[in-house]
């Protein structure tokens, strides 16, 4: 047994005290290391940079050597058989879903950012003592880690893990949080919120129950005994990270349902439910069904795979589709969401330069470290991967005459790869799809994954009573679409409100914005000598004739730049997806039996 403990050492300085102890053999060198990245977030994060102080002792005071080898590893060797204890301090002030955070309101940590691994003992069972802060008496604990028999739910105390990988897969939140429990298929689920909110937790639990039931029913079983949705609520925030029996989420404080408006489904609440659906689906798809390159994980360096289109793309397909299937949103609303997804893929030329397989492989540098050229030169394996998942679903349904769907493919993957912890290859997806289709779709499927080209959804949609058409953008700063021949102004940039004007967030190449010299992070302060706001720019564009050229003033760093910009008619690089035949669309809307 490797014994760990963690304690809020200094809340106001954001310091966690961590220790671990293990039995060492005389003259055997042990390697201590902290991961460079954590599963689900594919970027080198160098968690060891937050270790402030570190030292070691032996139980019998025998001589030992303790040497730092590189940025994240240490070597320790004792001259006798003894118990070695490592004590260190971690700076915790990153309120993301990835690292660790501590202040006088709450605490949180992912094990990968705070617990050193003894590499030679990585498969040994672990015991973790989570200690309460001395100065605060009403804090509780929320974690998916297994509780020791002496520790009750929500209590500080002792938790266990079968090995180091399981230890770091159980993130922990501490604080005076609120929690709503609900049960699905005999599994207790916990919706935890680490800061103040005003949401209707009963309604949230009802909606989450529907989504969790959908996912469990699709895969045929829940692979966990309990599940934790742990959410950090901020003024503004969005994100999530999956774990085997929990997820860490980040959302805005008022994204939760309004208790005074029980029939209202805001875009913000719908997006939060989609996020919950996405991360919960990951409990099967990537936490257990995973690429062969991740079995086992090597968290010391980048691990490349071309399969993230499946693990994030298929999950992204189901996160919103399940909202429709469970009755939370209408089919028309789902098609509007799908239109936005397709538009995000089609609006820039990036998908014609990078395949989803390459996007998956290069995620470490090109997706997680996106530059200002992203919309023009890369494609998201999330969004385009979800379109490929949609293509695969419709293809399987068509070729099997409605007998099978993507649901069946996912269940087969679960049975043969998830339960057995055997990593997948690209061929595994193709082979299962071929069986379900009773046809060979390898060439078309492989080309779609490895070529930088459009996903041809229109013919498949037509067969199920859906129209997939190129359309215009309805507004300057939006991916909303409109099917119209009327003039719709366009400049080819997206932006957000900034103190001085509008901060540019995207510029499509060869667009009027690009021709005006605009670049990401520029601040537009005036157009046509009028102060630039989202409303004023839209109003100006709508009142000027087509192809009007006006003066644009913007700051780049501290330099004021003046260039002309032209409002042109919107290109048809947006996508509208609408239902044309309700009877035919049942072929897609209904879930076929296996």
């Amino acid at each position: 047994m490797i014994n760990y403990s963690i304690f809020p050492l200094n809340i106001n300085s954001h310091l966690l005290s961590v220790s671990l102890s293990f039995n060492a053999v005389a003259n055997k060198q042990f390697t201590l290391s902290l991961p460079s990245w954590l599963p689900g977030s594919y970027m080198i994060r160098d968690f060891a940079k937050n270790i402030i102080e570190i030292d070691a002792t032996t139980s019998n005071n025998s001589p030992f050597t303790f040497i730092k080898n590189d940025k994240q590893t240490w070597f320790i060797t004792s001259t006798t058989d003894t118990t070695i204890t490592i004590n260190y301090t971690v700076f915790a002030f990153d309120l993301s879903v990835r690292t660790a955070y501590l202040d006088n309101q709450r605490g949180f940590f992912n094990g990968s950012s705070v617990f050193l691994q003894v590499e030679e003992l990585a498969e040994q069972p672990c015991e973790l003592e989570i200690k309460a802060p001395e100065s605060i008496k009403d804090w509780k604990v929320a974690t998916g880690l297994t509780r020791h028999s002496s520790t009750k739910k929500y209590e500080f105390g002792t938790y266990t893990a079968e090995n180091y990988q399981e230890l770091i897969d159980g993130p922990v939140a501490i604080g005076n949080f609120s929690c709503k429990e609900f049960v699905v298929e005999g599994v207790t689920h916990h919706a935890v919120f680490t800061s103040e909110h005003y949401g209707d937790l009963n309604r949230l639990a009802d909606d989450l129950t529907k989504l969790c039931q959908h996912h469990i029913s699709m895969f045929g079983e829940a692979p966990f005994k309990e599940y934790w949705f742990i959410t950090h609520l901020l003024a503004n925030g969005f994100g999530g990270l999956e774990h085997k029996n929990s997820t860490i989420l980040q959302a805005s404080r008022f994204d939760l349902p309004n208790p005074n408006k029980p029939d209202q489904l805001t875009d913000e609440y719908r997006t939060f439910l989609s996020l919950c659906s996405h991360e919960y689906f990951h409990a099967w798809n990537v936490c257990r069904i995973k690429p062969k390159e991740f079995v086992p994980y090597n968290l010391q360096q980048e691990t490349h795979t071309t399969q993230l289109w499946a693990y994030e793309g298929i999950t992204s397909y189901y996160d919103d589709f399940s909202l429709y299937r469970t009755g939370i949103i209408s089919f028309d609303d789902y098609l509007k969401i799908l239109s936005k997804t397709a538009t995000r893929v089609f609006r820039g030329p990036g998908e014609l330069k990078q395949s989803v397989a390459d996007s998956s492989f290069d995620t470490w540098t090109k997706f997680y470290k996106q530059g200002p050229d992203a919309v023009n030169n890369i494609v998201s394996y999330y969004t385009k991967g979800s379109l490929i998942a949609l293509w695969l679903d419709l293809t399987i349904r068509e070729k099997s005459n409605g007998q099978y769907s993507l649901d069946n493919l996912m269940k087969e993957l679960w049975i043969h790869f998830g339960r057995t912890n055997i990593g997948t290859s690209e061929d595994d997806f193709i082979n299962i799809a071929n069986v379900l289709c009773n046809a060979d779709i390898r060439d078309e499927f492989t080309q779609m994954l490895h070529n930088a080209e459009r996903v041809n959804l229109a013919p498949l949609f037509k067969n199920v009573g859906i129209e997939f058409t190129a359309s215009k953008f309805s507004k300057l700063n939006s991916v909303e679409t409109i099917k119209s021949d009327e003039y719709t102004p366009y400049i080819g940039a997206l932006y957000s409100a900034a103190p001085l004007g509008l901060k540019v967030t995207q510029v499509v190449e060869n667009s009027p914005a690009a021709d005006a010299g605009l670049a990401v992070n520029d601040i537009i302060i005036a157009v046509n000598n009028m102060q630039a706001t989202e409303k004023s720019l839209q109003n100006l564009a709508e009142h000027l004739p087509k192809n009007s050229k006006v003066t644009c003033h913007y700051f780049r760093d501290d330099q004021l730049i003046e260039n002309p910009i032209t409002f042109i008619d919107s290109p048809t690089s947006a996508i509208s997806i609408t239902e044309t035949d309700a009877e035919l669309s049942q072929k897609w809307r209904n879930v076929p039996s296996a």
Side-chain angles (χ1 to χ4, degrees), residues 555-586:
F555 275 113
R556 180 168 300 158
D557 193 19
D558 59 352
Q559 274 194 308
L560 180 63
I561 301 172
E562 176 185 336
N563 270 322
I565 189 168
T566 304
F567 293 107
I568 67 170
D569 194 13
S570 170
T572 54
S573 52
I575 299 297
S576 291
I577 302 174
T578 53
E579 185 180 50
T580 57
D581 189 324
E583 186 176 342
L584 266 181
S585 70
Q586 294 297 320

Side-chain angles (χ1 to χ4, degrees), residues 106-118:
R106 55 188 161 185
F108 161 76
F109 56 86
N110 272 299
S112 50
S113 67
V114 296
F115 295 135
L116 287 167
Q117 173 185 206
V118 185

Side-chain angles (χ1 to χ4, degrees), residues 350-364:
E351 73 154 337
L352 301 178
K353 299 178 182 178
Q354 185 189 47
S355 70
V356 288
D358 287 342
S359 176
S360 300
F361 192 88
D362 292 333
T363 184
W364 301 90

